[in-house]
Coordinates of all heavy atoms in Angstrom, one line a residue:
A9 N 182.6 109.5 101.3 CA 182.6 110.9 101.7 C 181.3 111.2 102.5 O 181.4 111.9 103.6 CB 182.7 111.9 100.5
D21 N 177.3 105.6 125.3 CA 176.9 104.7 126.4 C 177.9 104.8 127.5 O 178.9 105.5 127.5 CB 176.7 103.3 125.9 CG 177.9 102.6 125.4 OD1 179.0 103.1 125.5 OD2 177.8 101.5 124.9
N25 N 181.2 104.0 124.1 CA 180.9 103.7 122.7 C 180.0 104.8 122.2 O 179.1 105.3 122.8 CB 180.3 102.4 122.5 CG 181.1 101.2 123.0 OD1 182.3 101.2 122.9 ND2 180.4 100.2 123.6
F28 N 175.9 106.5 116.0 CA 175.6 107.5 114.9 C 174.5 107.0 114.0 O 174.2 105.8 114.0 CB 176.8 107.7 114.0 CG 178.0 108.3 114.8 CD1 178.9 107.5 115.4 CD2 178.1 109.7 114.9 CE1 180.0 108.1 116.1 CE2 179.2 110.2 115.5 CZ 180.1 109.4 116.2
R30 N 172.5 108.1 109.9 CA 172.5 108.9 108.7 C 171.3 108.4 107.8 O 171.0 107.2 107.9 CB 173.8 109.0 108.0 CG 174.2 107.7 107.3 CD 175.5 107.9 106.7 NE 176.2 106.6 106.5 CZ 176.2 105.9 105.4 NH1 175.7 106.4 104.3 NH2 176.8 104.7 105.3
I34 N 168.5 104.5 99.0 CA 168.9 103.3 98.3 C 167.7 102.9 97.4 O 166.6 102.6 97.9 CB 169.2 102.1 99.3 CG1 170.4 102.6 100.2 CG2 169.6 100.8 98.6 CD1 170.7 101.6 101.3
E45 N 180.6 103.3 117.0 CA 182.0 103.3 117.0 C 182.5 103.0 118.4 O 182.2 103.7 119.3 CB 182.5 104.7 116.5 CG 182.2 105.0 115.1 CD 182.7 106.4 114.6 OE1 183.3 107.1 115.4 OE2 182.6 106.7 113.4
R67 N 163.9 99.8 118.3 CA 163.5 101.1 119.0 C 163.6 102.2 118.0 O 164.6 102.2 117.2 CB 164.5 101.4 120.1 CG 164.4 100.5 121.3 CD 165.4 100.9 122.4 NE 165.1 102.3 122.8 CZ 165.0 102.6 124.1 NH1 165.3 101.8 125.0 NH2 164.8 103.9 124.4
R83 N 168.3 97.1 137.5 CA 169.1 95.9 137.4 C 169.8 95.6 138.7 O 169.9 94.5 139.1 CB 170.1 96.0 136.2 CG 169.4 95.8 134.9 CD 170.4 95.8 133.7 NE 169.7 95.8 132.5 CZ 169.8 96.8 131.5 NH1 170.5 97.8 131.8 NH2 169.1 96.7 130.4
N89 N 168.1 91.8 145.2 CA 167.0 90.9 145.6 C 167.3 89.5 145.4 O 166.9 88.6 146.3 CB 165.7 91.3 144.9 CG 165.1 92.6 145.3 OD1 165.4 93.0 146.5 ND2 164.3 93.2 144.5
E98 N 169.2 79.7 151.8 CA 170.2 78.9 152.4 C 170.0 78.8 154.0 O 170.2 77.7 154.6 CB 171.6 79.5 152.2 CG 172.1 79.3 150.7 CD 173.3 80.1 150.4 OE1 173.9 80.8 151.4 OE2 173.8 80.1 149.3
R103 N 168.2 75.7 158.7 CA 167.3 75.5 159.8 C 166.6 74.2 159.7 O 166.4 73.4 160.7 CB 166.2 76.6 159.9 CG 166.8 77.9 160.5 CD 165.6 78.8 160.9 NE 164.7 79.1 159.7 CZ 164.8 80.1 158.9 NH1 165.7 81.1 159.1 NH2 163.9 80.3 158.0
S106 N 168.9 71.3 160.5 CA 169.2 71.2 161.9 C 168.1 70.6 162.6 O 168.3 69.8 163.6 CB 169.7 72.5 162.5 OG 168.6 73.4 162.5
F127 N 158.4 48.8 149.0 CA 158.4 47.4 148.4 C 157.5 46.5 149.1 O 157.4 46.6 150.3 CB 159.8 46.9 148.3 CG 160.8 47.7 147.6 CD1 161.7 48.5 148.3 CD2 160.7 47.8 146.2 CE1 162.6 49.3 147.6 CE2 161.6 48.7 145.5 CZ 162.5 49.4 146.2
F155 N 139.7 32.1 115.5 CA 138.9 33.2 115.0 C 137.8 32.7 114.1 O 137.9 31.7 113.4 CB 139.8 34.1 114.1 CG 140.8 34.9 114.9 CD1 142.2 34.5 114.9 CD2 140.5 36.0 115.7 CE1 143.1 35.2 115.6 CE2 141.4 36.7 116.4 CZ 142.7 36.3 116.3
G165 N 145.8 39.2 110.6 CA 145.9 38.2 111.7 C 146.1 36.8 111.3 O 146.4 36.5 110.1

Side-chain angles (χ1 to χ4, degrees):
D21 65 7
N25 301 325
F28 297 92
R30 70 181 155 102
I34 299 175
E45 288 182 0
R67 290 180 61 132
R83 287 183 184 116
N89 286 340
E98 288 173 3
R103 281 193 308 262
S106 65
F127 303 104
F155 290 103

